[in-house]
Structures are given as structure tokens and as C-alpha cells.
Amino acid sequence: MSDDAVPDFIRRLWRLPETPQQRGRKSTLDVETVVATAVQLADQGGLEAATLPKVAEELNVTAMSLYRHIGSKHELLQLMMDAASQPPGPEPAAADWREGLRSWAIDLWTLYQKRPWIPRVPIYRSPSGPNQTAWLERGLSQLASTALTAKEMLSGLTLLSGFVRQSALLQSELEEGRDGQDKAESERDYGAALYQVISAKRFPHLSQVLASEPLGDDPTNDDEPDRDFTDGLEVILDGLSVRISAAAL
């Protein structure tokens, strides 16, 4: 593929040489500077702090001058997400695919805890940048020794990455809703209040759950990722295990 065949957005994601400017004064900006500034603003104040006008103000330029380097506001978000999604250092050798994927998912979860604005970025495209591609490659390497087809491996990673992303987003939104209240206390208050207003006749299963396993009564280990996340992760890995075993027959 020639350089001319590479779409401009992909060129920006991979920091390929930009098309030389034909007229006017040479720009003092580049993709790296614009994206790094936007990521810094998002790290400091969330996604709403990294709008085009705010990035332009930080760089002391006009918002229109940024479009030459980032294409559009949607592309800026994708550039930010990839730049901020650096995979961790060399991964330890995993005993098997399950341990490897568990580690992969927990590392991705940890990234989202460090930068909670990342899962808030709308998904407009499949993973295309170098960092997102590195995450995909690492996930595929855990499944390469199984009998899954290429399509099945990609489907499994799509499911797993979507679960991690949604879990992190849900946790972040619930924390905002608690407004400083302790998680266990908030869950106990929620469970107790809901139990008082529902009827066993109309909601027999939920009523039984609330009566037998009160929310907020299951202590979590502060040294581990959130228990709701890890429990759900194991359910997905259980499902993949069944598929992998069936593929090996």
C-alpha cells in the first residue's frame, strides 16, 4: 500500500509524516502536541475539559487551526483515546489462556481507573491506533494456542473488552451518584428501600434476592479490582472456556 492510500486519520493515529503545507506560514503545531495537550486536559478535568476551544486556548491558537492536525472533534477523541491507552510493560508469562486473559482484562480495568474519561469516549471506529492494536495483539496472543477460529477469537475479545469498558463506566457513574457516600452503605440503603416498596407477588425473584443476600454486606478486598467486576469477569471466562473446549473436540 502506498502512502497516498493511507487515510489521513490513520496517518495521524500512527504519526506518519503529514502532507506538506503548500501555502502560507508553516504551522508551529503538530498532531502530537495537540493530542498530548488534550489528554492532559482530560486527565485533569475529565472529557468535558478537553473540548476543541479549551485545547485551542491552552495552546494559544484558534480552534479552527486545530482541524489541520486532528481532522474533526470526533477524530480528536479517537486520537486521545489511543494515545492515552498505552499497554503496561512486558506482561508476565501466563500459565494458560484463562490466566492470560484475566490479566489482560484487569490491566485494561486498571487503565480505566487511572483515566476514567477513556470509557466515556464514544466508539466510532474499530481499534485502529498503535496502542489499541497492541491491546488487541496481546489479547489474541492469549487465545492463539486454542482451537478457536480467528472470528471466534475476535468475538471473544470484543465481548471481554466491552464488558471491561462498561463495568468501568458503570462504576464511575455510580460513584458520582453516591456523591461521597460509602459504596457498601449506599448499596444497603438502596436494597432496604427497594425491599420496602416491591411486593413478593409482583417481583418474586427480586424480592427473594433482596431478602437472602442484602446488598452491601459482602466485604471486598481493597487490594483487588472491584468485586462486581471480577465476578462478572469470571462468568465471561467460564463461557469462553466452554467454547474453547468445544472447539477442541
Side-chain angles (χ1 to χ4, degrees):
M1 179 182 292
S2 67
D3 284 349
D4 291 340
V6 179
D8 288 341
F9 174 60
I10 301 299
R11 296 177 68 88
R12 286 188 279 267
L13 269 174
W14 289 83
R15 305 297 192 269
L16 299 180
E18 298 184 56
T19 304
Q21 189 171 344
Q22 299 298 320
R23 297 181 179 179
R25 189 170 54 185
K26 184 177 180 180
S27 175
T28 58
L29 295 177
D30 55 24
V31 175
E32 192 67 42
T33 300
V34 175
V35 174
T37 300
V39 169
Q40 182 180 31
L41 290 174
D43 284 344
Q44 294 172 349
L47 206 55
E48 62 275 9
T51 62
L52 281 172
K54 292 179 180 178
V55 172
E57 181 181 1
E58 186 73 13
L59 292 170
N60 196 28
V61 298
T62 65
M64 287 300 298
S65 68
L66 300 180
Y67 284 103
R68 177 177 179 273
H69 306 284
I70 51 91
S72 69
K73 62 180 182 180
H74 294 325
E75 287 191 8
L76 174 61
L77 292 175
Q78 305 307 303
L79 288 161
M80 289 169 58
M81 180 168 60
D82 189 77
S85 299
Q86 301 94 336
E91 58 186 294
D96 54 25
W97 70 265
R98 184 169 185 136
E99 180 182 323
L101 276 191
R102 182 186 294 111
S103 175
W104 181 88
I106 290 175
D107 283 346
L108 188 58
W109 167 271
T110 302
L111 170 67
Y112 292 161
Q113 302 309 297
K114 177 183 177 183
R115 285 176 155 155
W117 59 268
I118 294 181
R120 294 179 182 269
V121 175
I123 303 298
Y124 298 110
R125 302 169 182 264
S126 300
S128 305
N131 285 325
Q132 291 176 303
T133 301
W135 279 102
L136 180 60
E137 173 67 17
R138 177 181 164 187
L140 289 172
S141 71
Q142 308 306 321
L143 294 172
S145 62
T146 71
L148 293 179
T149 65
K151 182 177 180 180
E152 288 172 330
M153 288 191 288
L154 288 173
S155 294
L157 290 179
T158 298
L159 172 65
L160 193 54
S161 62
F163 167 72
V164 178
R165 179 176 181 267
Q166 183 58 32
S167 295
L169 183 58
L170 179 61
Q171 184 199 56
S172 177
E173 292 177 341
L174 288 174
E175 285 179 353
E176 292 176 5
R178 288 196 293 269
D179 196 23
Q181 186 182 24
D182 176 79
K183 177 185 176 183
E185 181 183 358
S186 174
E187 290 183 348
R188 282 194 296 270
D189 289 349
Y190 165 78
L194 190 60
Y195 186 68
Q196 294 300 316
V197 297
I198 67 172
S199 67
K201 182 177 180 180
R202 185 178 180 185
F203 303 102
H205 302 296
L206 178 58
S207 178
Q208 184 177 7
V209 166
L210 292 177
S212 62
E213 298 182 16
L215 296 175
D217 283 356
D218 185 16
T220 60
N221 188 336
D222 292 337
D223 295 331
E224 296 180 355
D226 187 86
R227 180 66 177 272
D228 292 336
F229 164 69
T230 54
D231 285 349
L233 173 59
E234 294 306 315
V235 171
I236 293 178
L237 294 178
D238 285 345
L240 275 174
S241 180
V242 172
R243 176 61 65 88
I244 289 171
S245 296
L249 296 178

